[in-house]
Amino acid sequence: MKPIKSIERLTAAFRKLPGVGPKTAWRYAMSLVDADDETAREFCDAILSVKREVHRCIKCGNYTEDEICETCLTRDNSVICVVAYPKDIPPIEKTGFGGVYHVLGGTFSPREGRGIDDLRVAELVERMKGVKELIIATNPDLEGEATALYIATKFRKLYPDVKITRPAQGISVGSEMEFMDEATLTRAFSSRREM
Ligand SMILES: [Zn+2]
């Protein structure tokens, strides 16, 4: 049977999503072939609207549809939790953390050619006024640890009165914040240690 080009195209598009293999991609594509026009249109509109409306908060760097996100506007700005990516925030939210975040946009990674200058460190300096504690919650892997150490050293010099902490490492080395269960992360946060 001759392959149907437009279905192949849609399948290839789904395969670009994380965790979607060829079979699942094909099933997703087929479900849209069978969907009514309205469902298909809603699907396209939702994707386009995300691309149009969502951008980074000018303070913390997390995703928002506003200039400054609601977290930055409404929460305690004296405790900042530093993370590598926006995807690290939802699991930390579940621990009941009540401060604000700062998204670095990655970790220090010589392998991928990403240096400290590529991270949002200058933006963090900009918002340090009135800050009492900086929690550095990058992943407990090699790159996350190196980044945490760099930031701790730099900010300790610049702001000797600010407490700089890191979630406790009951967490196995190499594990990612994104996939940690709520209880482990809550424990790591409540018993954070000073760096
Ligand atoms: Zn924000």
Side-chain angles (χ1 to χ4, degrees):
M1 201 181 85
K2 201 166 157 253
I4 301 171
K5 267 198 191 129
S6 53
I7 297 180
E8 286 204 321
R9 182 182 168 198
L10 188 56
T11 306
F14 279 122
R15 280 217 65 185
K16 296 208 168 100
L17 299 176
V20 178
K23 264 192 199 157
T24 307
W26 184 79
R27 254 192 11 245
Y28 285 170
M30 290 313 287
S31 79
L32 281 171
V33 169
D34 293 332
D36 54 43
D37 284 2
E38 185 160 348
T39 306
R41 201 166 298 121
E42 167 54 19
F43 205 84
C44 299
D45 281 353
I47 293 173
L48 291 174
S49 126
V50 153
K51 295 311 294 172
R52 204 171 41 233
E53 311 290 341
V54 180
H55 50 257
R56 302 297 187 107
C57 165
I58 57 165
K59 281 185 92 174
C60 68
N62 193 11
Y63 295 124
T64 176
E65 290 185 346
D66 306 304
E67 194 182 19
I68 297 178
C69 76
E70 181 154 350
T71 306
C72 285
L73 282 176
T74 59
R75 302 239 293 239
D76 178 8
N77 275 249
S78 72
V79 182
I80 299 181
C81 177
V82 179
V83 295
Y85 299 104
K87 67 178 175 163
D88 299 322
I89 294 177
I92 299 174
E93 278 293 277
K94 286 192 192 150
T95 69
F97 174 67
V100 292
Y101 296 94
H102 189 83
V103 178
L104 290 172
T107 45
F108 177 48
S109 174
R111 214 177 29 186
E112 288 167 35
R114 204 167 43 238
I116 287 298
D117 293 340
D118 299 313
L119 307 180
R120 299 179 64 254
V121 177
E123 287 87 341
L124 182 57
V125 173
E126 287 289 306
R127 53 193 299 223
M128 285 302 288
K129 199 170 172 241
V131 169
K132 294 192 192 102
E133 183 179 356
L134 207 58
I135 306 169
I136 307 177
T138 49
N139 283 331
D141 54 19
L142 210 61
E143 290 160 1
E145 293 292 354
T147 308
L149 195 64
Y150 170 84
I151 292 177
T153 310
K154 181 184 173 86
F155 281 71
R156 204 159 33 223
K157 260 188 220 140
L158 291 172
Y159 310 98
D161 296 334
V162 174
K163 198 166 145 190
I164 298 174
T165 59
R166 184 138 173 79
Q169 313 292 298
I171 316 163
S172 55
V173 173
S175 54
E176 287 185 38
M177 210 83 64
E178 191 188 353
F179 303 113
M180 274 173 215
D181 67 84
E182 200 176 321
T184 309
L185 203 53
T186 304
R187 215 164 33 238
F189 257 73
S190 60
S191 54
R192 57 187 183 263
R193 56 177 168 82
E194 248 182 278
M195 285 187 81

